[in-house]
């Protein structure tokens, strides 16, 4: 079904209580829906509540309030359905350090055994770019290679939903591009993907929609193109005149540029026209100048 929901969340709340600081609302009433086959990104500053939200959806953390359905089931009430449900989801956690003495190939094959319909371990290792390291012990991998292995373990079970918590931390630029291609391919095969990231370019390159969370609340859910009114925001036009940089903002940049071309009788010195980037909009939304 085209608009079937993979994830639905309403009124989600989680409070942590520490002796030193008392209660803290890490998630303070979140509503969101993710359709099947969608790539959905959660953005937010450190401590915003992203990981807590994702861990509740993964069934690894209890909640204090609200309704949650992931693939039609409440992750807090799986009971005997737990294995069947876990068989349908894939998780890439913030990196773990277990099984260091196994090789890449051994651990990927080992994880494949947990699932009823796994992908082929050899092709998964190739897809994450670890072919040359398949016989290397895990404790000899670099940080970025280790992260690729985490991704391999997340997708080996051929999941219907893939949860990715800051998946490309430590990747070099080439590995990030390759990872993005991999994620798009998974989406094209019908996998739903929920990712948290601190990289605005990653959200822009991958996400169909993004949610910005600040202090446990959603500030906005939108497409990367439209977030924070970005699509209708004024353009900044800048040029050099009498040795001085000039700058104006306009809703009608083409008209302004036409005027400048007429004024200069042709080429406008060092002309630039800039729309606000996703990062500009995001920083404004989370209250940074
Ligand atoms: P980051 O971008 O740094 O990973 P985040 O958005 O994922 O941050 P969370 O890890 O969900 O944020 O944390 C949300 C808030 O809850 C933070 O204030 C954090 O200190 C607090 N918190 C998280 N886990 C616990 C815990 N186990 N016990 C107490 N407080 C916690």
């Amino acid at each position: 079904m085209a608009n079937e929901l993979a994830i639905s969340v309403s009124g989600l709340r989680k409070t942590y209580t520490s002796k030193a600081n008392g209660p803290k609302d890490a998630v303070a009433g979140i509503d969101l829906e993710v359709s099947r086959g969608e790539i959905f990104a959660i953005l937010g500053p450190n401590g915003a509540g992203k990981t807590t939200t994702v861990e509740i959806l993964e069934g690894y953390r209890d909640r204090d309030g609200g309704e949650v359905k992931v693939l039609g089931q409440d992750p807090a009430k799986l009971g005997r359905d737990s294995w069947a449900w876990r068989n349908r989801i894939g998780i890439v956690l913030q990196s773990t350090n277990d099984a260091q003495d196994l090789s890449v190939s051994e651990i990927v094959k080992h994880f494949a055994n947990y699932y009823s319909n796994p992908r082929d371990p050899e092709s998964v290792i190739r897809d994450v770019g670890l072919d040359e390291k398949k016989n290397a012990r895990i404790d000899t991998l670099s940080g970025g290679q280790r992260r690729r292995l985490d991704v391999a373990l997340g997708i080996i079970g051929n999941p219907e939903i893939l949860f990715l918590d800051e998946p490309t931390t430590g990747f070099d630029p080439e590995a990030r591009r390759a990872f993005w291609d991999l994620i798009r391919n998974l989406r094209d095969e019908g996998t739903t993907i929920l990712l948290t990231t601190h990289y605005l370019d990653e959200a822009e390159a991958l996400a169909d929609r993004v949610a910005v969370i600040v202090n446990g609340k959603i500030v906005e859910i939108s497409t990367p193109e439209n977030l924070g009114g970005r699509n209708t925001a004024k353009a900044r036009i800048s040029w050099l005149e009498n040795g001085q940089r000039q700058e104006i903002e306009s809703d009608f940049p083409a008209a302004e540029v036409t005027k400048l071309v007429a004024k200069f009788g042709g080429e406008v010195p060092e002309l630039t026209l800039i729309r606000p980037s996703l990062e500009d909009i995001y920083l404004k939304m989370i209250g940074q100048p």
Side-chain angles (χ1 to χ4, degrees):
M1 239 199 289
N3 248 340
E4 202 183 335
L5 291 180
I7 298 171
S8 68
V9 173
S10 71
L12 180 63
R13 286 189 300 105
K14 175 73 188 175
T15 305
Y16 295 111
T17 306
S18 73
K19 277 196 182 139
N21 302 317
K24 148 103 195 161
D25 291 334
V27 179
I30 278 184
D31 304 319
L32 60 87
E33 291 184 337
V34 180
S35 300
R36 285 207 183 232
E38 188 174 28
I39 301 182
F40 191 94
I42 301 182
L43 302 174
N46 291 133
K50 304 179 296 296
T51 300
T52 302
T53 301
V54 172
E55 286 179 352
I56 291 169
L57 300 183
E58 294 167 344
Y60 282 132
R61 200 169 276 288
D62 292 334
R63 61 184 189 266
D64 294 318
E67 299 296 320
V68 176
K69 283 266 176 357
V70 176
L71 295 176
Q73 285 189 271
D74 182 338
K77 295 180 190 152
L78 293 170
R80 277 202 259 146
D81 297 330
S82 179
W83 184 84
W85 183 80
R86 292 223 164 268
N87 190 43
R88 299 167 67 199
I89 70 169
I91 295 179
V92 177
L93 300 166
Q94 293 191 8
S95 211
T96 52
N97 279 319
D98 41 354
Q100 295 286 322
D101 54 343
L102 294 183
S103 72
V104 167
S105 179
E106 281 166 342
I107 193 150
V108 175
K109 284 180 184 154
H110 177 71
F111 268 68
N113 289 327
Y114 291 139
Y115 298 94
S116 63
N117 182 30
R119 288 172 187 272
D120 169 38
E122 297 287 331
S123 59
V124 166
I125 290 170
R126 222 178 11 255
D127 287 347
V128 300
L130 281 179
D131 218 17
E132 283 172 17
K133 291 281 174 186
K134 66 181 173 192
N135 296 318
R137 273 173 56 127
I138 296 171
D139 57 6
T140 65
L141 299 180
S142 72
Q145 290 164 345
R146 178 59 241 230
R147 202 73 192 115
R148 294 189 205 192
L149 177 60
D150 294 330
V151 174
L153 301 180
I155 65 174
I156 186 68
N158 206 5
E160 289 171 50
I161 297 190
L162 181 61
F163 292 101
L164 298 158
D165 201 358
E166 298 179 23
T168 58
T169 303
F171 279 30
D172 62 38
E174 200 186 339
R176 290 179 73 217
R177 293 290 188 287
F179 170 80
W180 294 351
D181 285 341
L182 172 65
I183 295 303
R184 290 189 193 108
N185 287 342
L186 291 171
R187 191 257 316 268
D188 293 346
E189 290 169 14
T191 313
T192 306
I193 291 153
L194 182 81
L195 80 141
T196 71
T197 184
H198 284 291
Y199 300 121
L200 279 299
D201 59 343
E202 184 156 283
E204 185 148 36
L206 287 180
D208 297 305
R209 288 187 304 145
V210 300
V212 177
I213 300 186
V214 179
N215 288 332
K217 293 200 175 98
I218 291 189
V219 181
E220 190 176 338
I221 298 180
S222 183
T223 60
E225 298 76 30
N226 293 353
L227 194 78
R230 186 181 168 205
N231 51 328
T232 52
K234 288 185 194 304
R236 272 206 317 270
I237 303 154
S238 153
W239 69 96
L240 205 64
E241 191 168 339
N242 302 327
Q244 302 258 312
R245 181 143 291 279
Q246 309 292 325
E247 191 171 293
I248 55 168
E249 287 193 341
S250 173
D251 288 320
F252 304 102
E256 295 297 338
V257 171
T258 308
K259 276 193 236 161
L260 285 169
V261 169
K263 183 173 178 185
F264 283 93
E267 213 42 57
V268 182
E270 297 188 22
L271 175 70
T272 59
L273 195 158
I274 304 170
R275 296 268 185 196
S277 67
L278 184 58
E279 185 155 328
D280 294 334
I281 294 286
Y282 169 76
L283 290 174
K284 213 186 248 178
M285 291 182 99
I286 66 167
Q288 300 294 316

